[in-house]
Amino acid sequence: MTENAIEITGLRKTYAGSRKAAPKEALKGIDLNIPAGSIFGLLGPNGAGKSTLINILAGLVLKSEGKVKIWGFDQDVNPRQSRAAIGVMPQELNLDAFFTPRAALEVQAGLYGVPKSQRRTDDILDLIGLSDKAEAYARTLSGGMRRRLLLGKALVHHPQILVLDEPTAGVDIELRQMLWENVRRLNDQGMTIILTTHYLEEAQQMCDEIAIINHGELVIRDTTAALLSRMDRKTLIVRPEGAAGDIALPDGVELERQADGRLRFSYPQLSVTPGAILDRLRDAGVGIADLSSEEADLEDVFLSLTRSA
């Protein structure tokens, strides 16, 4: 087991132009290490370069410059070993409509050169919840079942690294929960997981570390906890007993009076405490019927880092 599952240095990709369009630089010198055994989030807005990066890792797109090592194998020196170390669950439902799940997994294993004695088709079918549909044609499967089959295909060659590209886009809650249970189980067994998603609450709950890419550049990479701590402001929501008049607030506190009578106090948590705000409410003769608080989430961090870029 290597210290880093993936090591990326100076990665660039420029797509050739045409008579109607200039060349497009999709990746502009990415440097990124992904620790082995982690669940790593790769986030960014549409067009940021995430898909290009994933396709380069999978060997589907040729890089323009830079160096990529996957599980210790240099992609240029050992292309077969580096590709064998990674499995990709793509966003698109690219399945043969006339293959059964069992046949699809067997064919995929054959393409990777997995000997029949080492294939785990039944175990994978059980993992993805398709044992009872093993002999049904893929065209008869629901959209959620097809996504499960994509996950199974990514696992047939026993990869050390699994890339999930928008795995829960358009799926129901039950399938989403099943997918995350499987991901945690695989990670507990030592598999490195790389997740791209537009559902930022999923990344916040699942990922140990997160990298945000925008306009082909690495904006930031840190632990999920450290990223959340970058947002200094918190919100205290108070439902007063009766109408609330003028309130003398501590410096840095902003008050928003809502139509339903509630008061939203936004404050810098490093310099102002909720108790200080409540003291000012009492000084103003405002009774408190109920209160709650809100903390910044990953969406706030994401927007703050990508909105101005």
Side-chain angles (χ1 to χ4, degrees), residues 90-260:
Q91 214 176 133
E92 300 80 12
L93 293 173
N94 54 353
L95 296 170
D96 189 310
F98 295 96
F99 276 15
T100 66
R102 183 183 300 281
L105 296 182
E106 285 289 322
V107 169
Q108 187 79 354
L111 292 174
Y112 274 98
V114 181
K116 288 191 175 183
S117 62
Q118 296 179 22
R119 295 179 189 179
R120 301 175 300 131
T121 300
D122 288 331
D123 291 338
I124 292 174
L125 287 169
D126 183 57
L127 174 72
I128 61 179
L130 289 181
S131 295
D132 59 337
K133 298 288 185 179
E135 305 302 334
Y137 287 125
R139 68 176 185 270
T140 68
L141 302 177
S142 67
M145 291 178 180
R146 294 181 189 185
R147 284 211 170 273
R148 297 187 205 180
L149 184 52
L150 288 179
L151 173 60
K153 289 180 65 177
L155 297 173
V156 295
H157 59 292
H158 322 292
Q160 290 89 352
I161 304 163
L162 174 65
V163 178
L164 304 174
D165 190 5
E166 300 288 348
T168 58
V171 305
D172 58 35
I173 295 175
E174 182 179 359
L175 174 57
R176 188 174 299 179
Q177 290 178 339
M178 185 215 76
L179 175 66
W180 294 138
E181 288 174 2
N182 287 343
V183 166
R184 288 192 178 94
R185 188 178 304 126
L186 291 168
N187 182 246
D188 289 340
Q189 295 170 3
M191 185 175 290
T192 303
I193 311 294
I194 301 173
L195 167 67
T196 77
T197 180
H198 282 98
Y199 299 111
L200 299 184
E201 70 277 7
E202 291 183 346
Q204 183 172 331
Q205 293 171 7
M206 294 292 298
C207 297
D208 308 313
E209 297 185 48
I210 289 172
I212 297 178
I213 294 176
N214 198 23
H215 300 306
E217 299 179 318
L218 181 64
V219 178
I220 193 170
R221 176 264 174 88
D222 213 331
T223 65
T224 306
L227 284 175
L228 293 173
S229 69
R230 292 172 62 92
M231 300 302 292
D232 177 41
R233 300 193 74 82
K234 292 183 66 173
T235 302
L236 182 67
I237 305 164
V238 175
R239 181 162 62 85
E241 295 177 340
D246 293 336
I247 305 168
L249 295 172
D251 291 339
V253 179
E254 298 175 1
L255 170 59
E256 177 190 350
R257 297 177 184 267
Q258 298 188 301
D260 60 4

